[in-house]
Amino acid sequence: MSILSITFHTIEDRIEEWDIYVENDLHQMVKNLIDVEKYILSEVHSDMINEGKNTNLFLWFDNDQIRDQFMESELVNLEERIAQKFGPEVMIFPTFLNPKKKRF
């Protein structure tokens, strides 16, 4: 199992438009990903965020190789689409999660 967490930070002025994009476009793209077995798309609530909004996409892959392939192709495509629509007003932060211990 291999996990990737992608956080999208949206500036305050674009939150409404971003929320619509997440519900329609982003969710549809995630549903269509072939190599992703499971995912969680969620809003991030934190007392530490004073400006803008964070959204997180948590992706499970069968192994590190598939996750790496996703990073090289699908994430690049996703970043390009978001950049075309939102420019620098949505920042994308991918984080590799490498489980040491787990229980599901």
Side-chain angles (χ1 to χ4, degrees), residues 47-101:
D47 293 337
M48 303 307 289
I49 300 173
N50 295 326
E51 296 178 4
K53 178 181 183 176
N54 284 352
T55 304
N56 185 266
L57 178 58
F58 201 72
L59 303 168
W60 276 268
F61 299 91
D62 281 338
N63 56 56
D64 291 347
Q65 215 172 12
I66 296 172
R67 179 178 67 180
D68 292 344
Q69 290 170 353
F70 174 86
M71 290 293 295
E72 293 171 3
S73 61
E74 296 297 334
L75 184 59
V76 172
N77 292 335
L78 185 63
E79 288 172 330
E80 287 174 357
R81 289 180 184 171
I82 291 171
Q84 285 176 351
K85 184 151 182 79
F86 294 97
E89 295 171 332
V90 173
M91 294 171 275
I92 302 171
F93 304 97
T95 305
F96 291 91
L97 302 177
N98 300 311
K100 296 290 183 187
K101 298 175 192 255

Side-chain angles (χ1 to χ4, degrees), residues 18-55:
W18 174 252
D19 286 343
I20 294 167
Y21 186 82
V22 168
E23 285 296 318
N24 300 320
D25 301 67
L26 183 60
H27 185 238
Q28 189 61 45
M29 284 186 274
V30 172
K31 283 178 23 178
N32 291 335
L33 293 172
I34 296 169
D35 293 329
V36 176
E37 286 206 14
K38 299 175 185 172
Y39 68 89
I40 298 172
L41 181 58
S42 57
E43 292 183 4
V44 177
H45 294 278
S46 171
D47 293 337
M48 303 307 289
I49 300 173
N50 295 326
E51 296 178 4
K53 178 181 183 176
N54 284 352
T55 304

